[in-house]
Amino acid sequence: MGRVLVVGGDGQVGCDLRRRLAATAQVLTTTRSGRLADGGECEALDLGDADAIAPLLRRLSPDHVVNAAAYTAVDRAESEPALAHAVNAVAPGRLAEACAAAGIGLIHFSTDYVFDGRATRPYREDDATAPLNVYGRSKLDGETAIADSGARHLILRTAWVYAAAHGHNFLRTMLRLGAQREELRVVADQRGSPTPTWLLAEATTRVLERGIVASGVRHLAAAGETSWHGFAEAIFAEALARGLLARAPRVTAIAAADYPTPAQRPAYSVLDTQSLRSEYTLEFPDWREGLRIAFERGGAA
C-alpha cells in the first residue's frame, strides 16, 4: 500500500482511518493546526488555503491520498457559504489536480445530502442530484471538481456518520443529553442509514489494498434504514445494556417541521451500496450491528 496521506486526520473519520491503515501502510497525516488530539505533531494543512495543497503533496510524495477533511457544520454553512465552498469544493478540486499531476490515487468522502430526499428506494450513484442546502451543494461541487481533475479517484458518498469515542455526532449528543434529561424530542420523518466510522475505515482500507478499480462515485453506508428517532432509541438501548446510562430518557417522535433548522435536510437519503460491495467484495452490516460494534470498539465518552 505504501505511503498514505490522510487529510483531516483529527476528525472522527480521520482518527479511525489512521488507526486502521497503520497496520498495513506508512500513514502521513495533516490537520489544520499541525497537531493531533493526543498532542502529537503532524503536517499542517488549512484547506481554506488551497495554494498550500500542491507544495505539500510534492514534498510528502504519498502513494495515495485519503481526504477525510470537510466543512461539516450543516446548519452553520447556511450563513458561511463561502467557507463551506472553499473547504468542500475548491480544496478537493485542487487536491485532485495535484494528485493528477503526480499520478497519485485519491479517495474522497462525500454525502447523502447531494440528494433531495424525494426517492422511494435507495439512491444509486447515477440518480439525479439536487441538494437542499449549502452544505450539500458545496459537497456536490467538490465531486464535480474531482471528476474534472483527471485524477484517478474514488468518491465515497456516505451518510449519518458517527463514532462512539470522538467527534461531534448524533450518537455522542444523544448520550450526553440522555444523561441530563428525562425526555428528548427527536425527528421521526427523516430516514437514512447510520454509518459508523469503523466501517468507513475498513472499507477504505480494502479499496486501497485492491487499488481503485475505476474512477467515479460509489456509495458506502451501513445496510438497512431508520429514522433519527429509531437511531436514538437504539443508542439508548445499547447504552443501557452496557451500563453506560443508569436510565434511558423518554424519546418522543416529532416531525422535522416541529424542529426547524437553518438547513433543510432530505426526508429520505438511503444509499444503494451494491456497486462498491461488488467491486471490492465487501459486506456491510445492518446499521444496528454497526452500532453494536461501534460501542464495542470505541467505547463511549
Side-chain angles (χ1 to χ4, degrees), residues 11-18 20-21 66-68 107-111 154-163 193-208 218-222 271 273 276 282-285 290 297:
Q12 61 178 356
V13 176
C15 285
D16 275 359
L17 273 170
R18 288 190 293 113
R20 178 63 182 85
L21 289 170
V66 182
N67 183 25
I107 296 178
H108 172 80
F109 294 100
S110 191
T111 176
L154 200 62
I155 296 166
L156 299 175
R157 289 183 187 143
T158 188
W160 294 27
V161 176
Y162 69 92
S193 303
T195 303
T197 53
W198 71 259
L199 178 57
L200 298 183
E202 293 283 350
T204 301
T205 300
R206 178 71 68 86
V207 170
L208 288 170
R218 302 292 184 275
H219 288 170
L220 167 53
L271 301 176
T273 63
L276 187 69
L282 292 163
E283 291 295 334
F284 298 157
R297 294 188 179 185

Side-chain angles (χ1 to χ4, degrees), residues 20-33:
R20 178 63 182 85
L21 289 170
T24 54
Q26 180 184 354
V27 180
L28 311 170
T29 305
T30 78
T31 66
R32 186 177 181 183
S33 66

